[in-house]
Amino acid sequence: MQKPNLNNLRLLISAASPKQFPRDGKPQIAFSGRSNVGKSSLINTLLGRKAFARVSSAPGKTVTVNFFDVDGKLTLVDLPGYGYAKRSKEEQAVFSRVTDGYFTSNPTFDSLKLVLQLVDVRTGPTDDDLSMIQFLVDSEIPFVVVATKADKLSRAALERALAEMKDTYFSEVDVTLIPFSSETRLGRDTLWNEIYRVL
Ligand code: GTP
Ligand code: MG
């Protein structure tokens, strides 16, 4: 595929209900992970923007799925973060409906080409992260695991953390683990290559 023009970006919709999800058949790349793990920052870094996908000041509050059109060629999908403890019951219900809707409502599902599953490199996967990864494996949805906030560790500690994560959680499944930092842009090119591979 010809590389998309990153100056041609548009918020398609900030969807609060699965009914609003775009059904235009364009390939979608989704970003999943717990609240505050760095999904919106990662999207901004990929797109070379400072604040295109908002970076949350109130974590976990936005229960919308944000669809970003990239040059009419692909759609980036910023999913709401899970595992946010301070959500009210009502907010949690909306969260489940919208997120489950994304992964199960068919027209969107067919367009989903790759999930970037974000995990904080300092803590490794939470139980919610592991459930999500198991779901992706079971559903045969292509995914890569992105170890975020790599800049917070020294080089040696980063190597250790990645090796430990692989050994502890991903020794049986063939998982691509990519270190990333929105501060230093480590991993940006690698992630774009993963995206191009599935388009
Ligand atoms: P929700 O929208 O609440 O689900 O959060 P999110 O996953 O979109 O996280 P967001 O991108 O808003 O980042 C959360 C916080 O982590 C912000 O304060 C970011 O500045 C910070 N952050 C994100 N990525 C990195 C990173 O690579 N390195 C460092 N040092 N901080 C980061
Ligand atoms: Mg966000």
Side-chain angles (χ1 to χ4, degrees), residues 115-187:
V115 172
L116 273 64
Q117 173 62 42
L118 278 61
V119 170
D120 190 318
V121 75
R122 296 167 300 172
T123 58
T126 62
D127 287 348
D128 285 338
D129 294 333
L130 293 172
S131 308
M132 187 64 209
I133 290 167
Q134 193 58 50
F135 168 78
L136 295 170
V137 171
D138 293 343
S139 316
E140 300 182 356
I141 298 171
F143 71 96
V144 296
V145 174
V146 182
T148 63
K149 308 195 183 182
D151 58 279
K152 300 234 183 190
L153 296 179
S154 71
R155 218 190 153 83
L158 175 62
E159 293 307 323
R160 265 201 310 277
L162 293 170
E164 197 179 307
M165 216 191 282
K166 265 214 150 128
D167 279 1
T168 312
Y169 302 103
F170 308 130
S171 55
E172 268 143 55
V173 267
D174 184 24
V175 168
T176 304
L177 180 61
I178 300 168
F180 181 83
S181 165
S182 60
E183 294 284 317
T184 66
R185 299 189 185 176
L186 172 76

Side-chain angles (χ1 to χ4, degrees), residues 39-199:
K39 296 175 297 298
S40 303
S41 303
L42 169 49
I43 291 176
N44 286 331
T45 303
L46 278 178
L47 298 176
R49 296 289 183 97
K50 279 220 161 70
F52 180 63
R54 244 171 328 164
V55 171
S56 45
S57 47
K61 281 292 173 190
T62 28
V63 194
T64 55
V65 182
N66 298 328
F67 294 83
F68 302 106
D69 174 83
V70 183
D71 199 22
K73 294 191 168 86
L74 70 149
T75 306
L76 302 185
V77 185
D78 193 2
L79 293 166
Y82 50 73
Y84 185 65
K86 286 185 199 151
R87 243 174 219 144
S88 68
K89 265 216 172 107
E90 200 177 315
E91 283 163 343
Q92 187 57 36
V94 175
F95 170 82
S96 300
R97 186 162 51 79
V98 174
T99 314
D100 294 353
Y102 181 73
F103 284 108
T104 53
S105 82
N106 250 329
T108 304
F109 195 83
D110 289 342
S111 302
L112 178 59
K113 301 302 178 203
L114 182 70
V115 172
L116 273 64
Q117 173 62 42
L118 278 61
V119 170
D120 190 318
V121 75
R122 296 167 300 172
T123 58
T126 62
D127 287 348
D128 285 338
D129 294 333
L130 293 172
S131 308
M132 187 64 209
I133 290 167
Q134 193 58 50
F135 168 78
L136 295 170
V137 171
D138 293 343
S139 316
E140 300 182 356
I141 298 171
F143 71 96
V144 296
V145 174
V146 182
T148 63
K149 308 195 183 182
D151 58 279
K152 300 234 183 190
L153 296 179
S154 71
R155 218 190 153 83
L158 175 62
E159 293 307 323
R160 265 201 310 277
L162 293 170
E164 197 179 307
M165 216 191 282
K166 265 214 150 128
D167 279 1
T168 312
Y169 302 103
F170 308 130
S171 55
E172 268 143 55
V173 267
D174 184 24
V175 168
T176 304
L177 180 61
I178 300 168
F180 181 83
S181 165
S182 60
E183 294 284 317
T184 66
R185 299 189 185 176
L186 172 76
R188 180 180 189 260
D189 294 346
T190 309
L191 286 181
W192 268 121
N193 286 334
E194 291 291 331
I195 292 170
Y196 288 138
R197 256 155 43 104
V198 298
L199 295 181

Side-chain angles (χ1 to χ4, degrees), residues 5-10 49 69-72:
N5 172 6
L6 297 187
N7 293 317
N8 187 13
L9 305 174
R10 191 160 69 90
R49 296 289 183 97
D69 174 83
V70 183
D71 199 22

